[in-house]
Amino acid sequence: MFNQEPKNYNCPFCRMIKSGLQTEKDFVFENKTVFVCIALHQHENSGPGLLVIPKQHVENIYDIEDSLLAEISKVTKFIAIKMRELFDIQGITIWQHNEKAGFQDVWHFHTHIKGRLSDDNIYQTKQYEMCEAERSKLAEQLKEYIQNS
């Protein structure tokens, strides 16, 4: 329903799953149905951004099963709490895009969790691509905190 995924789409999230999530340097957490990684694109002057991604390929909110959506929400809450405890942030923003007009650019459902700082003006700041070394360091820090808490 309301699908815009191009024919023969080579999904980057499905490629990550097929290659083995534990090999991904920005991998943070997984369970049977979802995984969490550091977002490639970050906002200047704000806290870290992460993605919660279902392992099952589902294009958007219109196609996702309620049980899978509930699991994504549960993991999103869990990761948001861990981010709030670990990082020097003052809040969390959660968002999810659907269709081209809704700014969806990866045709695999996913939820963004963004650490926020007071007065970070996130919607007026530029995004940048976080290098692999920084994503890896951030992922290890969060992974270790989750395992030890």
Side-chain angles (χ1 to χ4, degrees):
M1 176 190 300
F2 306 117
N3 299 107
Q4 298 179 345
E5 179 179 309
K7 272 192 174 199
N8 301 316
Y9 181 63
N10 188 9
C11 178
F13 297 151
C14 290
R15 283 195 319 265
M16 289 173 71
I17 294 165
K18 286 177 188 168
S19 70
L21 294 171
Q22 296 294 339
T23 65
E24 299 292 328
K25 292 184 175 26
D26 54 5
F27 167 81
V28 174
F29 173 86
E30 79 173 305
N31 65 21
K32 293 184 304 189
T33 54
V34 303
F35 71 98
V36 179
C37 64
I38 306 298
L40 176 62
H41 296 100
Q42 301 285 332
H43 287 88
E44 296 177 346
N45 306 316
S46 65
L50 283 78
L51 302 174
V52 179
I53 305 165
K55 291 179 179 179
Q56 174 188 349
H57 184 83
V58 178
E59 182 177 330
N60 55 39
I61 192 74
Y62 312 114
D63 294 336
I64 197 164
E65 294 179 21
D66 291 345
S67 59
L68 181 53
L69 186 59
E71 182 62 23
I72 292 166
S73 293
K74 181 179 161 186
V75 171
T76 298
K77 177 182 176 182
F78 171 76
I79 295 296
I81 290 168
K82 297 304 176 187
M83 288 173 65
R84 188 71 172 82
E85 291 172 350
L86 178 61
F87 300 119
D88 187 23
I89 55 178
Q90 288 81 49
I92 295 284
T93 294
I94 297 168
W95 70 85
Q96 194 275 319
H97 303 280
N98 297 279
E99 302 175 281
K100 290 177 186 173
F103 297 108
Q104 184 176 7
D105 61 358
V106 176
W107 305 106
H108 185 126
F109 184 96
H110 58 285
T111 300
H112 297 257
I113 308 173
K114 183 68 186 160
R116 299 295 303 274
L117 303 173
S118 298
D119 301 320
D120 64 12
N121 294 314
I122 191 172
Y123 301 110
Q124 287 78 45
T125 59
K126 293 192 304 185
Q127 286 190 7
Y128 69 96
E129 194 171 299
M130 182 181 269
C131 73
E132 185 178 306
E134 286 181 83
R135 290 193 322 269
S136 179
K137 181 179 176 184
L138 188 59
E140 281 303 315
Q141 186 180 11
L142 190 51
K143 209 178 335 185
E144 184 178 314
Y145 182 75
I146 289 169
Q147 290 171 353
N148 294 327
S149 61

